[in-house]
Amino acid sequence: MSRSKKQSRAPNSMRRYVFDSIIKRALREHSLFEAGGPGFLVLVTPEGYSPSDYQSSVLDQLYDDDRFYRRDGVGCILVFLTDKSSKFEDEYSECCKRERVIAVIERGVELPPIIQLAADLVIHIPPITPDDLKAAARAVVRRPMTDEEAETALSYPREHLWAAFRPMRSIGEAMRRLREVEVNSPVEGTDQVKMRSAPETPMLAEMHGYGPAKEWGTQLATDLADWKAGTIDWGDVDKGIVLSGPPGVGKSIFARALAKQCNVSLVASSLGRWQSRGHLGDLLKSMRADFDRARNNAPSILFIDEIDSFGSRDSFDHENANYSIQVVNALLECLDGLDGREGVVVVGATNNTDRIDPAITRAGRLDRHVEIPLPSAADRIAILSQLTAHSIPVSDLLRLGTLTRGMTGADLAKTVRDGRRLARRERRELTLEDLKAGLPEGTKISGEHRWGIAVHEAGHTIVGIQLGYGTYIRTNIADVVRPDLKHQPGGAAYFDIPRVARRDRQFYLNCVAVMLAGLAAEKLYLGDFSDGAGGGEQSDLAVATRLATFLEANLGMGASFLHSNAQTDQELEKLRLSDDALKARVEKILADQYERVEGILESRRALLELLAKELDAVGLLTPQRVRELESSLEDRGSFNSQRKGIS
């Protein structure tokens, strides 16, 4: 007999969409029941959730097939912790002859033996996840929600959550309402559902991966404390900063952690939130109100997310230019403030600093710029340890260093959430394997591949030391790489190069030579070189070509004193393509330095082999170990060349 399901209703609330989705996923564990077949399922709610939360969604699933089943052929049972123990058996006795039955029981209710025997499957419903909220936002509110917004939203009581997220209301406005409405704690002794408390944001000093931004923030905390104590003037405190960095590095979390570190109030907003209030007059009124609120609560931090969305007045050439100019001018007035903004530190966040109006970053406004980088390997491990509440030994987490390369703090948080979900499903504690399950697959570097990388990096090491490229630190090769990343080196030689120094033409030629040393080492020892030196903006060939072009076209150290403003690889490539003479000079620099490097490595071939073997076996070279290996060759008389600069 063919069956046709009812046409699905369009979701009319976030709450309904979320619980419908969760019930549909839960029923997939019983494929026959999901397909409309008979069965008796027991669904156990997560801790803190009521069976009544799921009632409407369960009834929809049961009655969705009423053209096939009679209304008295299906049944729904709800059992609460406060119910008498006999209720479950009584309700089941009424439904036991029905073909499709779902019992939703509250976590902690003990299943009677008769139910354990009768149930086809007992399914533990997972709690609402940030992904559930994001999907509901797209379907109901018709707006995207970030991971951070979803996680924060879930920290509020659920009834507040559903009330705040109304159809066609912006995500920013809903989040603002949640923040500003006071959440009262449940009264002891009532039947109010116990809610999970909001996750506490640690102080900035306890967080990892923020680099120079963290240093600035901790110094600001000291300065604000001194200002409150009257030991320094407000003029000695940084009044504004622009934080930049790729999406997901945690700029919003930084603002909360900064406020906690400084022990001051936080006012968070954005142009999008201000615009959601209505026309231009409403926008400007809302913007000024937030600045007033920050002043009234001084000392405070006013966080403006996506500050680049204001744009630059120099580029406004559209029909709404007058509107945009008025918005930027109003922000500048708020930053300056006729009454001043003593005690208010403004923090702007952006993914694109080039789009910010220069007047916003002028001295006295947001005049400091700090970039939040992607977390280093050490930071990623520390973040994972913090997110997992230190439940997994750091020595074990170290194995995830390479697999998490390129990940932001938000990516790592998602990895932990996915791992916890897997552990909950199997009713056990979180393990390292749970975290690895959500990470991209790694490929082990071994055999000829590892040997080729070892030779390549040994070449960089020898030439860098020989030419005094900088202070040699170490050389290492990775055990595992991530094939999904666009550019991931299998190894690297590290040198500390002074930021401030006299740099002449020979310095840049030496830099080009070091970049080409890996290729030359492979060609000398292996007979040919692989594709590992090219393919990305930071590859050896890209850096060497960029430096050679700068020499000839930007720095006045080539055949002409003419200067070009070209900076990016795309701009430099256009410059070379439009000037055949320049292209020929760049190619000659590269060829000459490659030949120069070949001579250096040929004279130290025995050391090249020894360093490569050490890297292949151990994966690491240190300055001391390089000196030891070099001395062993000298003792054996394997080479007589002296370490000196080569011009």
Side-chain angles (χ1 to χ4, degrees):
M1 179 184 297
S2 63
R3 298 162 42 246
S4 61
K5 288 190 178 260
K6 289 180 181 177
Q7 185 176 1
S8 298
R9 297 188 310 270
N12 56 11
S13 73
M14 291 265 288
R15 182 186 190 282
R16 187 59 183 273
Y17 186 94
V18 166
F19 286 109
D20 281 354
S21 300
I22 289 174
I23 290 299
K24 287 175 183 177
R25 286 202 305 272
L27 297 187
R28 288 176 194 158
E29 295 192 33
H30 194 293
S31 56
L32 178 60
F33 196 100
E34 184 199 19
F40 173 41
L41 302 185
V42 174
L43 306 183
V44 182
T45 70
E47 185 175 358
Y49 289 70
S50 169
S52 57
D53 290 334
Y54 305 90
Q55 184 176 19
S56 296
S57 300
V58 167
L59 290 174
D60 264 3
Q61 292 298 307
L62 287 170
Y63 294 131
D64 202 28
D65 296 293
D66 62 355
R67 295 182 59 183
F68 183 69
Y69 290 97
R70 294 179 306 168
R71 304 288 286 187
D72 59 357
V74 297
C76 175
I77 304 171
L78 303 181
V79 181
F80 302 81
L81 274 170
T82 54
D83 289 336
K84 294 180 180 179
S85 59
S86 59
K87 179 186 175 182
F88 205 154
E89 297 183 47
D90 292 341
E91 291 203 1
Y92 174 70
S93 65
E94 294 181 11
C95 297
C96 64
K97 295 180 181 179
R98 299 180 183 182
E99 296 176 271
R100 283 168 61 81
V101 180
I102 296 179
V104 185
I105 71 169
E106 191 171 0
R107 177 82 173 270
V109 172
E110 186 176 352
L111 287 178
I114 188 172
I115 303 302
Q116 296 182 38
L117 293 169
D120 295 312
L121 190 64
V122 176
I123 301 170
H124 290 270
I125 305 173
I128 300 171
T129 68
D131 287 340
D132 292 327
L133 276 192
K134 289 165 60 180
R138 288 192 299 270
V140 179
V141 185
R142 307 287 184 187
R143 286 174 170 83
M145 176 185 283
T146 66
D147 288 336
E148 183 179 331
E149 287 170 335
E151 288 179 15
T152 303
L154 281 178
S155 69
Y156 294 96
R158 285 192 296 280
E159 291 309 310
H160 288 207
L161 179 66
W162 309 134
F165 285 95
R166 301 277 299 163
M168 306 312 295
R169 176 179 288 167
S170 73
I171 301 296
E173 173 62 7
M175 297 299 293
R176 183 192 68 79
R177 288 169 178 256
L178 285 171
R179 284 195 305 272
E180 293 182 358
V181 174
E182 183 177 353
V183 179
N184 295 320
S185 300
V187 179
E188 187 176 352
T190 68
D191 293 333
Q192 198 169 353
V193 177
K194 182 180 179 181
M195 300 294 180
R196 183 181 297 274
S197 59
E200 186 177 356
T201 301
M203 291 201 297
L204 185 60
E206 300 170 5
M207 301 188 73
H208 306 274
Y210 284 106
K214 180 177 177 179
E215 296 176 14
W216 174 85
T218 52
Q219 181 59 52
L220 176 68
T222 301
D223 290 345
L224 284 177
D226 290 343
W227 173 73
K228 285 191 288 185
T231 57
I232 64 173
D233 295 329
W234 179 245
D236 295 325
V237 180
D238 272 350
K239 302 171 186 63
I241 187 173
V242 172
L243 297 174
S244 68
V249 294
K251 296 183 283 290
S252 299
I253 295 175
F254 176 89
R256 295 200 299 269
L258 175 64
K260 185 167 185 179
Q261 182 75 35
C262 298
N263 193 26
V264 300
S265 60
L266 173 68
V267 177
S269 197
S270 67
L271 177 59
R273 292 178 186 175
W274 291 328
Q275 283 177 326
S276 69
R277 294 304 181 91
H279 56 70
L280 178 61
D282 296 320
L283 183 160
L284 301 182
K285 182 179 179 181
S286 179
M287 181 194 302
R288 289 169 182 141
D290 278 342
F291 272 87
D292 287 342
R293 187 151 59 97
R295 275 193 293 269
N296 293 335
N297 289 282
S300 65
I301 291 170
L302 175 61
F303 177 68
I304 305 176
D305 200 8
E306 298 176 346
I307 198 167
D308 58 289
S309 60
F310 285 88
S312 174
R313 291 169 297 178
D314 297 335
S315 61
F316 294 153
D317 56 2
H318 47 77
E319 60 183 13
N320 294 322
N322 183 57
Y323 172 95
S324 300
I325 289 172
Q326 290 188 68
V327 173
V328 173
N329 288 342
L331 175 63
L332 297 178
E333 290 173 11
C334 289
L335 290 173
D336 292 335
L338 292 176
D339 300 326
R341 57 177 174 91
E342 185 170 343
V344 179
V345 177
V346 180
V347 177
T350 179
N351 301 331
N352 189 347
T353 55
D354 295 335
R355 293 183 55 193
I356 301 177
D357 192 297
I360 294 176
T361 55
R362 198 196 70 187
R365 292 170 180 160
L366 308 189
D367 51 9
R368 187 181 293 275
H369 171 220
V370 177
E371 183 176 1
I372 298 178
L374 288 172
S376 65
D379 285 331
R380 294 195 301 274
I381 299 307
I383 291 170
L384 284 174
S385 182
Q386 196 170 53
L387 290 172
T388 57
H390 312 290
S391 61
I392 299 176
V394 172
S395 57
D396 291 342
L397 290 174
L398 287 171
R399 294 161 54 189
L400 305 182
T402 301
L403 296 181
T404 56
R405 185 190 295 269
M407 284 188 163
T408 64
D411 295 329
L412 296 171
K414 183 178 185 302
T415 296
V416 174
R417 287 198 308 272
D418 291 344
R420 284 197 171 119
R421 187 179 300 119
L422 182 60
R424 285 196 305 270
R425 189 179 304 153
E426 300 182 6
R427 314 290 291 171
R428 54 174 175 71
E429 296 297 320
L430 179 71
T431 68
L432 184 70
E433 294 305 313
D434 293 328
L435 298 181
K436 288 179 66 176
L439 294 173
E441 288 288 336
T443 300
K444 186 174 178 59
I445 300 178
S446 59
E448 292 183 2
H449 186 197
R450 184 178 178 87
W451 174 241
I453 294 174
V455 171
H456 183 104
E457 299 306 334
H460 284 307
T461 303
I462 290 174
V463 174
I465 294 174
Q466 179 77 12
L467 298 183
Y469 180 59
T471 302
Y472 174 58
I473 300 174
R474 71 180 186 280
T475 307
N476 63 265
I477 57 177
D479 294 325
V480 178
V481 292
R482 291 247 312 275
D484 61 305
L485 293 181
K486 200 169 187 179
H487 178 70
Q488 181 184 356
Y494 295 91
F495 292 82
D496 184 16
I497 302 174
R499 291 188 176 184
V500 179
R502 184 178 185 276
R503 296 173 178 175
D504 55 13
R505 177 179 172 84
Q506 191 59 53
F507 170 83
Y508 287 98
L509 291 177
N510 288 348
C511 291
V512 172
V514 173
M515 290 299 110
L516 299 175
L519 290 175
E522 289 187 61
K523 183 67 181 292
L524 175 66
Y525 202 83
L526 304 176
D528 203 353
F529 49 76
S530 66
D531 60 359
E537 292 183 358
Q538 298 305 315
S539 66
D540 294 346
L541 286 178
V543 175
T545 304
R546 190 182 307 133
L547 290 171
T549 309
F550 278 147
L551 269 176
E552 293 290 337
N554 295 68
L555 303 176
M557 296 180 179
S560 170
F561 288 123
L562 286 176
H563 170 73
S564 168
N565 284 324
Q567 295 289 325
T568 67
D569 283 348
Q570 291 80 5
E571 293 171 341
L572 295 171
E573 178 68 9
K574 288 181 180 179
L575 196 62
R576 290 190 295 268
L577 292 175
S578 64
D579 188 338
D580 290 339
L582 170 65
K583 181 180 179 182
R585 294 198 302 272
V586 170
E587 289 181 341
K588 186 175 188 309
I589 289 175
L590 296 174
D592 288 349
Q593 295 311 304
Y594 182 83
E595 183 179 355
R596 178 185 178 209
V597 167
E598 281 187 315
I600 295 174
L601 293 175
E602 181 64 51
S603 68
R604 304 178 75 79
R605 184 176 186 131
L607 181 60
L608 174 67
E609 179 180 3
L610 204 56
L611 295 187
K613 287 182 177 178
E614 181 82 3
L615 278 173
D616 185 32
V618 181
L620 175 69
L621 281 172
T622 63
Q624 180 180 354
R625 185 56 178 158
V626 171
R627 288 192 295 269
E628 290 173 354
L629 294 172
E630 191 172 9
S631 297
S632 69
L633 289 175
E634 291 173 344
D635 292 342
R636 297 201 303 264
S638 297
F639 61 81
N640 298 315
S641 61
Q642 299 294 316
R643 280 187 58 187
K644 60 182 180 180
I646 298 178
S647 60

